[in-house]
Structures are given as C-alpha cells and as structure tokens.
Amino acid sequence: MIIIMDHHADDDKIEAVIIRLKKAGFQIHLSRGVERAIIGAIGDKTRLGDIGLEALPGVERVVPILQPYKLASRTFHEEGTVIKIGGLQIGGDAVHVAAGPCAVESREQVLETAEIVKKAGATILRGGAFKPRSSPYSFQGLEEEGLKFLAEARDLTGLLIVTEVMDVRAVPMIADYADILQIGARNMQNFSLLREVAKVDKPVLLKRGPSATVEEWLMAAEYIMSGGNYNVILCERGIKSFENYTRNTLDLTAVPIVKYLSHLPVIVDPSHAIGKWRFVPSMAKAAVAAGADGLLVEVHPNPPEALCDGPQSLTPANFMKMMSELKQVAAAMGRRIL
Ligand code: PEP
Ligand code: MN
C-alpha cells in the first residue's frame, strides 16, 4: 500500500510514519514527488489495523496497491519516472536511440559504428560482449576485450554504453565498463540475476521475455526495484506468436499498456522483434508514435559480414534515413530526438 502524505507534512512527520511502519515489519520505499511525499510500504496488511496510520499527523490517505507489482506500479509513483544518466534523461521529452551492432566483433567495427550512429543522432551505443546464442557453436562474444572496445568508443564519441549481462558472476566486471546493464529476453526471469543487478548503481534495461505477459515483465522489474535499484528501463522486443514470417511479433500495444500500468520508461527494439532490416524503420516510427521513450536498433557497417544478426541490422545509410524520418514523428508527438 502507499501512504500519501499531505502538502504540509515535514520531514519529522514523514519519519514518524516510517518508524511506525518499520516497527510493524513493513519494508519502506519513500518517493518524494514535486507536490508531496509518498511512502510505499510492503508487508502484511493485516498488521495495519494496530498502527492507526490515518490518525497520524501529516497522513492524508492510505491507498492499497492492488497489483502484485507495487514499486513498478503507477499507483506508487503517479508521474512518469525520468532516469538521469550521464547527462541524458530517459523518460523525458527526448526519445533516445541506442544503436550499434548485435555483437562487438572487433575494435574497428565498434569504433566505426559508434561514429556513424553518433552522427545520425543516437545517444547510446549498444553492442554485446557476452552473447546469448541459441547454438553453443555460434560466436559467443569477445567478453572483457569487447567491453574495453565499447569503453574506448564511449571515450571517443561521448555515447553512453548499454551491454548485456548474462551471468551473476560477470555483473561487477560489466558494471565497471557499462553505463546501462541489459538483461536479455532469455534472462527476464533469471531471478538471481535480477537480484544481483538490483545491487548495482547503474540503470538496468530489462527486456521482455519472448513469452512473458506484461504482468510477468513488471514483476521482473519489481525484483530489481525491491532490491534497491529503481532505475529500470523496460524494453519491448517482440513476443512469440504463430506468425513465422517475422522472427517474433512486435507487441506495440505493450507501450501504452505498460505506460498506463507503470511509471517506468519504455523503449522498443524493433530489430529483434522483426528480424528483417527492411521492416525495422516502419516499426521504429510506429513505436515513437505509440509513446515509446526510446529505441534499441541494430546497425552494422557491413551487415552481410556480421557475426550475429546481420539480416536484421541496418546499414549506416538506412540508419541515417530512419533517424531523419524519426525526427519528424517525434516532433509530431511533441517530443524530440537529441
Ligand atoms: C540483444 O539485444 O542483443 C539480444 C540478444 O536481444 P534479446 O535478449 O531481446 O534477444
Ligand atoms: Mn542481436
């Protein structure tokens, strides 16, 4: 449940409520809005009766959160969350584009792609150094060497870095290099991994599992938030369906639905959803029109030679074209790119 404090509640009153709740065994998450403070209390609500919360000075209302996800719910945080990271604001007016290769393949490939996507208006560089591949015989990533190339690209271009973490043991090392930690679709319900990234002071980009419902996805976000990391960016990347012309089916309905249910920023990855580069720009534009806060798009300097996901990667020229079209869609939506 949440305890909505009134306008005049000062720090002492807020603290007094928190102390009572903690004594009754509740876990506390305080959110200070522009207007008022909201105290999120998670625990056994049958113990509420003993506290007499509504009679405490400064308490305006006590509201139950009916959804199983609490901290991720819009009831807990009415305004949309804006995640501030390295000068960027994700969930604000700007639509941020994270672009780059599926996998980091070489220093040259990463540096070249970084220059291209930066010039076209991307603000974040993507690239996997640890790759979740369906086959153990496919290229698995350059690991720490790849992270070093990404960090070098950041130093040269000023782009932020998002890269995937697949394993609990690799979290500290990846967190040393990356600005945003990506949890891949296959790991959305890897609860040990969710708990581990919850302890890191870096935003987490949480991809939707290929067969996860919106509720399961928000519950995965709840794992990260309840562990102390509130900076979660949700990423729709396509779900399994009977359709097999595309790699997955892009569920764009998830964008307005998640924004209604949750305050967290939502971005869209049309590349993994569709699997075919030709259709990526159309769905990127549709995603921005649907209210997405950003995009994750695969770009490769030479897609036919890519070690991973070449068929869905945009060439530099196609990426440039998509970005200039996206600027117009963003403007029509009262937003901007860059
Ligand atoms: C990726 O972004 O490189 C990736 C592996 O995506 P997903 O987890 O959505 O399949
Ligand atoms: Mn990929």
Side-chain angles (χ1 to χ4, degrees):
M1 68 183 167
I2 55 171
I3 295 95
I4 302 175
M5 303 300 290
D6 69 31
H7 288 29
H8 314 293
D10 56 18
D11 286 354
D12 290 346
K13 288 188 179 132
I14 297 171
E15 196 47 39
V17 175
I18 291 177
I19 289 171
R20 289 244 186 163
L21 286 164
K22 279 191 176 160
K23 263 196 194 144
F26 286 86
Q27 206 195 89
I28 302 302
H29 298 266
L30 177 63
S31 154
R32 284 181 193 272
V34 189
E35 295 263 312
R36 57 183 90 227
I38 293 182
I39 303 168
I42 295 173
D44 175 8
K45 64 175 183 279
T46 59
R47 301 197 57 182
L48 267 187
D50 318 334
I51 312 182
L53 266 188
E54 256 157 346
L56 290 178
V59 172
E60 187 179 286
R61 261 177 309 143
V62 178
V63 182
I65 301 182
L66 300 174
Q67 294 93 342
Y69 44 89
K70 312 287 179 195
L71 304 172
S73 135
R74 216 178 249 277
T75 319
F76 174 58
H77 200 280
E78 229 178 304
E79 301 140 32
T81 284
V82 178
I83 297 179
K84 298 189 179 80
I85 157 171
L88 303 187
Q89 299 203 349
I90 299 174
D93 292 343
V95 172
H96 286 287
V97 179
C102 178
V104 176
E105 298 169 8
S106 68
R107 179 172 177 271
E108 294 67 35
Q109 173 239 22
V110 172
L111 298 188
E112 185 184 345
T113 314
E115 295 286 355
I116 291 163
V117 302
K118 160 98 183 183
K119 203 164 143 215
T123 45
I124 304 167
L125 176 67
R126 64 143 291 143
F130 294 83
K131 293 305 304 174
R133 304 303 301 274
S134 301
S135 164
Y137 309 117
S138 302
F139 175 61
Q140 304 286 310
L142 295 182
E143 304 188 348
E144 190 166 7
E145 192 188 17
L147 297 174
K148 290 191 171 137
F149 297 152
L150 287 169
E152 190 179 347
R154 172 182 45 213
D155 293 344
L156 289 173
T157 59
L159 293 167
L160 298 186
I161 302 298
V162 59
T163 195
E164 179 162 352
V165 47
M166 296 205 309
D167 189 307
V168 168
R169 290 164 297 186
V171 170
M173 178 183 54
I174 297 179
D176 270 351
Y177 292 95
D179 300 295
I180 304 172
L181 302 176
Q182 176 173 327
I183 299 284
R186 293 159 188 81
N187 270 320
M188 189 204 81
Q189 284 188 318
N190 180 339
F191 300 115
S192 336
L193 186 58
L194 299 177
R195 284 190 195 284
E196 206 58 32
V197 295
K199 295 183 209 151
V200 176
D201 187 23
K202 293 267 162 94
V204 175
L205 189 149
L206 178 64
K207 288 207 162 190
R208 179 182 186 178
S211 21
T213 63
V214 164
E215 187 169 297
E216 286 162 340
W217 188 16
L218 291 173
M219 289 307 285
E222 191 78 9
Y223 262 90
I224 302 170
M225 299 176 83
S226 63
N229 188 346
Y230 291 179
N231 292 326
V232 179
I233 304 159
L234 297 165
C235 179
E236 161 61 38
R237 49 75 74 202
I239 51 176
K240 296 235 182 260
S241 80
F242 54 82
E243 179 54 67
N244 59 10
Y245 182 74
T246 51
R247 187 173 176 183
N248 291 284
T249 293
L250 179 60
D251 179 14
L252 271 190
T253 61
V255 176
I257 292 171
V258 169
K259 286 192 125 338
Y260 171 71
L261 296 172
S262 173
H263 54 89
L264 295 172
V266 184
I267 72 164
V268 170
D269 170 354
S271 307
H272 290 88
I274 304 161
K276 293 180 159 92
W277 69 266
R278 185 179 304 279
F279 308 109
V280 167
S282 303
M283 297 320 287
K285 287 178 272 183
V288 173
D293 296 300
L295 294 164
L296 187 74
V297 180
E298 286 187 342
V299 179
H300 194 285
N302 186 7
E305 297 291 317
L307 295 181
C308 184
D309 285 350
Q312 68 194 33
S313 300
L314 294 177
T315 59
N318 285 332
F319 181 66
M320 292 269 193
K321 183 164 179 283
M322 182 191 85
M323 290 297 281
S324 72
E325 293 166 0
L326 272 178
K327 284 177 190 157
Q328 296 175 45
V329 179
M333 296 304 296
R335 302 187 79 173
R336 64 193 159 82
I337 307 258
L338 265 188

